Amino acid sequence: MANSHILTENNGSVATLRLNRPEALNALNAAMLDEVKLTIEAWDADPQIRAIVITGSEKAFAAGADIKEMIDKTHLDAMAENLLDGWYCIARCRTPTIAAVSGYALGGGCEVAMMCDILLCSDTARFGQPEITIGTIPGLGGTQRLTRRVGSAKAMELVLTGRMMDAEEAERSGLVSRVVPLAELEAQAQETAQRVAGFSGAAVRLARDCVHAAGSTTLEQGIALEQRAFHSLFGTEDQIEGMTAFAEKRTPNFKR
Ligand code: CAA
């Protein structure tokens, strides 16, 4: 389906959202956000959609928030409209999200990619938080998510210098889970999404919640949360089905 700033596609239980402002390297503007928010929230409410791929073009996942749209904003404007806050719909989405990044993922582009549960990239990807070069700082979680992923030494250098990382450095430093050849990125992202979509929804949801919690709990709290989540899955039909299918040497048929 074509909107004006995004393209969407559904393939069974996997939905794909493609950022599509090629003339601006997919810079994130308000009109694009309106479409993204509507789409993500509708998919998240649809039980048939069990994984979401978010991607861009070969040249750019997104080169950041739209600088030209922000030039004239005042402090009051930014506060009053809670500037950029709508993009957190991606972080809040409960359906698993897979970012497939090729080319530039800068500023808000890098931050949106980091909001996704799984971050895959092509060998042509370039990541960075260049906000310092335009007199500002990351405003969509970059100082927090980048630091949690790559550690404070590298995050501090990237945020203070605006230097870009190539795909190899991004994988080595833990920003992305996997680098694949450009020609394989789409297929690998779809395959990853289909795989996640095929598992028990309850197990996927709880696994995801526990991994996310690891960034903000003590080890003891995180382990307690995981233990309770693990125990609770024994109340699901999918746990019985999964274990029975293993014992019977067949493929499980997960329901929810
Ligand atoms: N906002 C608005 N327009 C942008 C843009 C952005 N973030 N990034 C690129 N564009 C536009 C360019 O202005 C240009 O438009 P025109 O043809 O109308 O001049 C078009 O996209 C193509 O860009 P370039 O000609 O610059 O392409 P290039 O290949 O020479 O350079 C680039 C590519 C290095 C990514 C360069 O475009 C660039 O530095 N972009 C800005 C990156 C940036 O600073 N991002 C952070 C934005 S602030 C932010 O994101 C805050 C936050 O935390 C949420």
Side-chain angles (χ1 to χ4, degrees), residues 21-28 59-60 62-70 83-84 87 104-111 126 128-134 136-142 164:
R21 284 187 75 205
E23 72 286 0
L25 300 181
N26 291 336
L28 313 172
K59 183 152 187 211
D66 191 313
I67 299 167
K68 295 166 192 169
E69 199 177 61
M70 294 188 293
L83 182 61
L84 299 177
W87 288 97
Y104 296 113
L106 303 176
C110 185
E111 292 165 309
R126 303 193 72 190
Q129 298 290 160
E131 290 88 346
I132 201 82
T133 68
I134 55 165
T136 183
I137 68 168
L140 270 178
M164 290 187 215

Coordinates of all heavy atoms in Angstrom, one line a residue, residues 21-28 59-60 62-70 83-84 87 104-111 126 128-134 136-142 164, ligand 1:
R21 N 11.1 8.7 1.7 CA 11.3 10.1 1.3 C 12.7 10.2 0.6 O 13.6 10.8 1.1 CB 11.3 11.1 2.5 CG 10.0 11.4 3.1 CD 10.2 12.5 4.1 NE 10.3 13.8 3.5 CZ 11.0 14.8 4.1 NH1 11.5 14.7 5.3 NH2 11.1 16.0 3.5
P22 N 12.8 9.6 -0.6 CA 14.1 9.5 -1.2 C 14.8 10.8 -1.4 O 16.0 10.9 -1.3 CB 13.9 8.7 -2.5 CG 12.4 8.8 -2.7 CD 11.8 8.9 -1.4
E23 N 14.0 11.8 -1.6 CA 14.5 13.2 -1.9 C 15.2 13.8 -0.7 O 16.0 14.7 -0.8 CB 13.4 14.1 -2.5 CG 12.4 14.6 -1.5 CD 11.4 13.6 -1.0 OE1 11.4 12.4 -1.5 OE2 10.5 13.9 -0.2
A24 N 14.9 13.3 0.5 CA 15.5 13.8 1.7 C 16.2 12.7 2.5 O 16.3 12.8 3.7 CB 14.4 14.5 2.5
L25 N 16.7 11.7 1.8 CA 17.3 10.5 2.5 C 16.5 10.0 3.7 O 17.0 9.7 4.8 CB 18.7 10.9 3.0 CG 19.7 11.3 1.9 CD1 21.1 11.6 2.4 CD2 19.9 10.2 0.8
N26 N 15.2 10.0 3.5 CA 14.2 9.5 4.5 C 14.2 10.3 5.8 O 14.0 9.7 6.9 CB 14.4 8.0 4.7 CG 14.0 7.1 3.6 OD1 13.2 7.6 2.7 ND2 14.6 6.0 3.5
A27 N 14.6 11.5 5.7 CA 14.6 12.4 6.9 C 13.2 12.3 7.6 O 12.2 12.3 6.9 CB 15.0 13.8 6.6
L28 N 13.2 12.2 8.9 CA 11.9 11.9 9.6 C 11.2 13.3 9.8 O 11.6 14.1 10.6 CB 12.3 11.3 11.0 CG 13.3 10.1 11.0 CD1 13.6 9.8 12.4 CD2 12.7 8.9 10.2
K59 N 20.1 3.6 0.0 CA 21.0 4.7 0.3 C 20.8 5.2 1.8 O 21.8 5.6 2.4 CB 20.8 5.9 -0.6 CG 21.8 7.0 -0.3 CD 22.1 7.9 -1.5 CE 23.2 8.9 -1.1 NZ 23.1 10.1 -1.8
A60 N 19.6 5.1 2.3 CA 19.4 5.6 3.7 C 18.2 4.8 4.3 O 17.2 4.8 3.8 CB 19.1 7.1 3.6
A62 N 17.5 6.2 7.4 CA 17.0 7.6 7.6 C 18.2 8.4 8.1 O 18.9 8.0 8.9 CB 15.9 7.6 8.7
A63 N 18.3 9.6 7.4 CA 19.4 10.5 7.8 C 19.1 11.4 8.9 O 19.6 12.5 9.0 CB 19.9 11.3 6.5
G64 N 18.2 11.0 9.8 CA 17.9 11.8 11.0 C 16.5 12.5 10.9 O 15.8 12.4 9.9
A65 N 16.2 13.2 12.0 CA 15.1 14.1 12.0 C 15.2 15.1 10.9 O 16.4 15.5 10.6 CB 14.9 14.7 13.4
D66 N 14.1 15.6 10.4 CA 14.2 16.6 9.3 C 14.7 17.9 9.9 O 13.9 18.7 10.5 CB 12.8 16.8 8.7 CG 12.9 17.5 7.4 OD1 13.5 18.6 7.4 OD2 12.3 17.1 6.4
I67 N 15.9 18.2 9.5 CA 16.6 19.5 10.1 C 15.8 20.7 9.6 O 15.6 21.6 10.3 CB 18.0 19.5 9.6 CG1 18.8 18.3 10.2 CG2 18.7 20.8 10.1 CD1 20.2 18.0 9.6
K68 N 15.4 20.7 8.3 CA 14.8 21.9 7.7 C 13.5 22.2 8.4 O 13.1 23.3 8.6 CB 14.6 21.7 6.2 CG 16.0 21.6 5.5 CD 15.8 21.1 4.1 CE 17.2 20.8 3.4 NZ 17.0 20.0 2.2
E69 N 12.8 21.1 8.8 CA 11.5 21.3 9.5 C 11.7 21.9 10.9 O 10.8 22.4 11.5 CB 10.8 20.0 9.6 CG 9.3 20.1 9.8 CD 8.6 18.7 9.8 OE1 8.9 17.8 10.6 OE2 7.7 18.5 8.9
M70 N 12.9 21.6 11.5 CA 13.1 22.0 12.9 C 13.8 23.4 13.0 O 13.8 24.0 14.1 CB 14.0 21.0 13.6 CG 13.4 19.6 13.8 SD 14.4 18.5 14.8 CE 15.8 18.2 13.8
L83 N 8.2 17.7 20.9 CA 8.9 17.4 19.6 C 9.5 16.0 19.5 O 10.2 15.6 20.3 CB 10.0 18.5 19.4 CG 10.7 18.4 18.1 CD1 9.8 18.6 16.9 CD2 11.9 19.5 18.1
L84 N 9.1 15.3 18.4 CA 9.6 14.0 18.0 C 9.0 12.8 18.9 O 9.2 11.7 18.6 CB 11.1 13.9 18.0 CG 11.8 14.9 17.1 CD1 13.3 14.7 17.2 CD2 11.4 14.6 15.6
W87 N 7.6 9.4 17.7 CA 8.4 8.2 17.2 C 8.6 7.1 18.2 O 8.9 6.0 17.8 CB 9.8 8.7 16.7 CG 9.7 9.5 15.5 CD1 9.6 10.9 15.3 CD2 9.5 9.0 14.1 NE1 9.4 11.2 14.0 CE2 9.4 10.1 13.3 CE3 9.5 7.7 13.6 CZ2 9.2 9.9 11.9 CZ3 9.3 7.5 12.2 CH2 9.2 8.7 11.4
Y104 N 22.6 5.2 5.3 CA 22.7 6.0 6.5 C 21.6 5.7 7.5 O 20.4 5.7 7.2 CB 22.6 7.5 6.1 CG 23.7 8.0 5.2 CD1 23.5 8.4 3.9 CD2 25.0 8.1 5.7 CE1 24.5 8.8 3.1 CE2 26.0 8.6 4.9 CZ 25.8 8.9 3.6 OH 26.8 9.4 2.8
A105 N 22.0 5.6 8.8 CA 21.1 5.6 9.9 C 21.7 6.6 10.9 O 22.6 6.2 11.7 CB 21.0 4.2 10.5
L106 N 21.3 7.8 10.7 CA 22.0 8.9 11.5 C 21.0 9.6 12.4 O 19.8 9.7 12.0 CB 22.6 9.9 10.5 CG 23.6 9.4 9.5 CD1 24.0 10.5 8.5 CD2 24.8 8.8 10.2
G107 N 21.4 10.1 13.5 CA 20.6 10.9 14.4 C 19.3 10.1 14.7 O 19.3 8.9 15.1
G108 N 18.1 10.7 14.4 CA 16.9 10.0 14.7 C 16.7 8.7 13.9 O 16.0 7.8 14.4
G109 N 17.4 8.6 12.8 CA 17.4 7.3 12.0 C 18.1 6.2 12.8 O 17.6 5.1 12.9
C110 N 19.2 6.5 13.4 CA 19.9 5.5 14.3 C 19.1 5.2 15.5 O 18.9 4.1 15.9 CB 21.3 6.1 14.7 SG 22.3 5.0 15.6
E111 N 18.4 6.3 16.0 CA 17.6 6.1 17.2 C 16.4 5.2 17.0 O 16.0 4.4 17.8 CB 17.2 7.5 17.8 CG 18.5 8.2 18.3 CD 18.2 9.7 18.5 OE1 17.7 10.4 17.6 OE2 18.5 10.2 19.6
R126 N 25.8 2.8 7.6 CA 26.6 3.7 8.4 C 25.7 4.4 9.5 O 24.7 4.9 9.2 CB 27.2 4.8 7.5 CG 28.0 4.2 6.3 CD 28.8 5.3 5.6 NE 29.9 5.7 6.5 CZ 30.7 6.8 6.2 NH1 30.4 7.5 5.1 NH2 31.7 7.1 7.0
G128 N 25.4 6.8 13.1 CA 26.0 7.9 13.8 C 25.0 8.8 14.5 O 23.8 8.7 14.2
Q129 N 25.5 9.6 15.4 CA 24.6 10.6 16.1 C 25.3 11.9 15.8 O 26.0 12.4 16.7 CB 24.5 10.3 17.6 CG 23.9 8.9 18.0 CD 22.4 8.8 17.7 OE1 21.9 7.7 17.6 NE2 21.7 9.9 17.6
P130 N 25.0 12.5 14.6 CA 25.8 13.7 14.3 C 25.1 15.0 14.8 O 25.5 16.1 14.3 CB 25.7 13.6 12.7 CG 24.4 12.9 12.4 CD 24.2 12.0 13.6
E131 N 24.2 14.9 15.7 CA 23.4 16.1 16.1 C 24.4 17.2 16.6 O 24.1 18.4 16.4 CB 22.4 15.8 17.2 CG 21.3 14.9 16.8 CD 21.5 13.4 16.9 OE1 22.7 13.0 17.0 OE2 20.5 12.7 16.8
I132 N 25.5 16.8 17.2 CA 26.4 17.8 17.7 C 26.9 18.8 16.6 O 27.2 19.9 16.8 CB 27.6 17.1 18.5 CG1 28.3 18.1 19.4 CG2 28.6 16.5 17.5 CD1 27.7 18.2 20.8
T133 N 27.0 18.2 15.4 CA 27.5 19.0 14.3 C 26.5 20.1 13.8 O 26.8 21.0 13.1 CB 27.8 18.1 13.0 OG1 26.6 17.6 12.5 CG2 28.8 17.0 13.4
I134 N 25.2 20.0 14.3 CA 24.2 21.0 13.9 C 23.8 21.7 15.2 O 22.6 22.3 15.3 CB 23.1 20.4 13.1 CG1 22.4 19.3 13.9 CG2 23.5 20.0 11.7 CD1 21.0 18.9 13.3
T136 N 23.1 20.7 18.3 CA 22.1 20.1 19.2 C 22.6 18.7 19.7 O 23.8 18.4 19.6 CB 20.7 20.0 18.5 OG1 19.8 19.5 19.5 CG2 20.7 19.2 17.3
I137 N 21.7 17.9 20.3 CA 22.2 16.6 20.8 C 21.1 15.6 20.4 O 20.0 16.0 20.0 CB 22.3 16.6 22.4 CG1 21.0 16.7 23.1 CG2 23.3 17.7 22.8 CD1 21.1 16.5 24.6
P138 N 21.4 14.3 20.5 CA 20.3 13.3 20.2 C 19.1 13.5 21.0 O 19.1 13.9 22.2 CB 21.0 12.0 20.6 CG 22.5 12.2 20.5 CD 22.6 13.7 20.9
G139 N 17.9 13.4 20.3 CA 16.7 13.7 21.0 C 15.6 12.6 21.0 O 14.5 12.8 21.4
L140 N 16.1 11.4 20.5 CA 15.1 10.3 20.5 C 15.8 9.1 21.2 O 15.7 7.9 20.7 CB 14.8 9.9 19.0 CG 13.5 10.6 18.5 CD1 13.3 10.2 17.0 CD2 12.3 10.3 19.3
G141 N 16.5 9.3 22.3 CA 17.0 8.2 23.1 C 18.4 7.9 22.7 O 19.0 6.9 23.3
G142 N 19.1 8.6 21.8 CA 20.4 8.2 21.4 C 21.5 8.1 22.5 O 22.3 7.2 22.6
M164 N 30.8 8.8 12.1 CA 29.9 7.7 11.7 C 30.7 6.4 11.9 O 31.9 6.3 11.7 CB 29.6 7.8 10.2 CG 28.6 8.9 9.9 SD 28.1 8.8 8.2 CE 28.0 10.6 7.8
Ligands
CAA1 N1 17.0 16.7 7.3 C1 16.5 17.3 6.2 N2 17.0 17.0 5.0 C2 18.0 16.1 4.9 C3 18.5 15.5 6.0 C4 17.9 15.7 7.3 N3 18.3 15.1 8.4 N4 19.5 14.7 5.6 C5 19.6 14.8 4.3 N5 18.7 15.7 3.8 C6 18.5 16.2 2.5 C7 19.6 17.1 2.0 O1 19.3 18.4 2.5 C8 19.5 17.0 0.5 O2 18.4 17.8 0.1 P1 18.5 18.8 -1.2 O3 18.8 17.8 -2.4 O4 17.2 19.4 -1.3 O5 19.6 19.7 -0.9 C9 19.1 15.5 0.3 O6 18.6 15.1 1.6 C10 20.3 14.7 0.0 O7 21.3 14.9 1.0 P2 22.8 15.4 0.7 O8 22.9 16.1 -0.6 O9 23.4 16.0 1.9 O10 23.5 13.9 0.5 P3 25.0 13.5 0.7 O11 25.1 12.1 0.1 O12 25.9 14.5 0.2 O13 25.2 13.4 2.3 C11 24.6 12.9 4.5 C12 24.5 12.5 3.0 C13 26.0 12.8 5.0 C14 23.7 11.9 5.3 C15 24.0 14.3 4.7 O14 22.8 14.5 4.1 C16 23.8 14.7 6.2 O15 24.8 15.0 6.9 N6 22.5 14.7 6.6 C17 22.2 15.2 7.9 C18 22.5 14.2 9.0 C19 22.2 14.7 10.4 O16 22.7 15.7 10.9 N7 21.2 14.0 11.1 C20 20.8 14.4 12.4 C21 19.5 15.2 12.3 S1 19.0 15.9 13.8 C22 18.3 14.6 14.6 O17 18.1 13.5 14.1 C23 17.8 14.8 16.1 C24 17.4 13.6 16.8 O18 18.1 13.1 17.6 C25 16.1 13.1 16.6

